[in-house]
Amino acid sequence: MRTSTKIKRPLALTTAALTLVVMATGLAFACVPQPLITLTPLASGPGGTQVSLQGVAFGAVPVEIRWNTLDGPQLATTQGPQISTTVTIPPSPDGLYSILAFERRTDGSVGSSARAAFEVTSIGSTLPPVSTPATSGGVDRRPPKPSSGVSIGAASFGGALLLAAGLLAGSLWRGRRHKVLSSYT
């Protein structure tokens, strides 16, 4: 019986230490700001419309603004971490498109990114800002999602918390069971 206690205690301590690491990582990941861009005054209009673009939470690196895809027409380049520029919507058929803002690292790779939806409409008709665009023609034309880091961080924190609660309940149950069994001997 002593041998199993000697094995279980280090295992419980190791599991508790790993639980704390997972909790700390989850909390740290949940606190990482995610880039966000907004368009003003409208999120719709004909090709040639000029819109003001503001963004936050980018790195202190060049930020490229592109039309609809990472390799689409370049609308502007600016410097992070906070960006503010005016872009001209290229002539395009009526439909829903994305304006992408992404970090361009010194090695040429793409870093963090954000996007905003813009609906190209016929000349003379402008619509209020698009609230929930759909996916069309295999191209993802949805507006940016809220920070996924928060949900992933919260999930890992919650999982680690449940694991810690299970370990605590198990150790309390084991201690109680040990007391009951020792009272019979």
Side-chain angles (χ1 to χ4, degrees), residues 77-177:
T77 301
T78 186
Q79 184 70 27
Q82 294 184 359
I83 61 173
S84 181
T85 188
T86 300
V87 297
T88 302
I89 303 303
S92 304
D94 286 2
L96 200 51
Y97 298 88
S98 291
I99 295 176
L100 303 167
F102 56 92
E103 299 172 353
R104 182 63 76 176
R105 297 187 179 134
T106 55
D107 65 359
S109 65
V110 173
S112 297
S113 64
R115 63 186 168 154
F118 188 89
E119 185 170 11
V120 175
T121 59
S122 299
I123 296 175
S125 68
T126 56
L127 303 173
V130 178
S131 58
T132 315
T135 302
S136 166
V139 177
D140 187 8
R141 299 173 192 241
R142 294 172 291 183
K145 294 180 181 179
S147 168
S148 60
V150 171
S151 58
I152 292 170
S156 39
F157 179 74
L161 199 58
L162 284 174
L163 181 60
L167 285 171
L168 179 63
S171 67
L172 291 175
W173 177 255
R174 183 186 167 282
R176 180 178 171 183
R177 192 183 89 210

Side-chain angles (χ1 to χ4, degrees), residues 62-85:
V63 177
E64 288 185 21
I65 315 297
R66 296 219 177 229
W67 181 246
N68 210 38
T69 62
L70 289 175
D71 59 351
Q74 187 168 339
L75 304 178
T77 301
T78 186
Q79 184 70 27
Q82 294 184 359
I83 61 173
S84 181
T85 188

Side-chain angles (χ1 to χ4, degrees), residues 1-6 174 177-178 181:
M1 186 145 191
R2 288 249 185 234
T3 306
S4 65
T5 303
K6 288 181 181 179
R174 183 186 167 282
R177 192 183 89 210
H178 181 68
L181 290 176

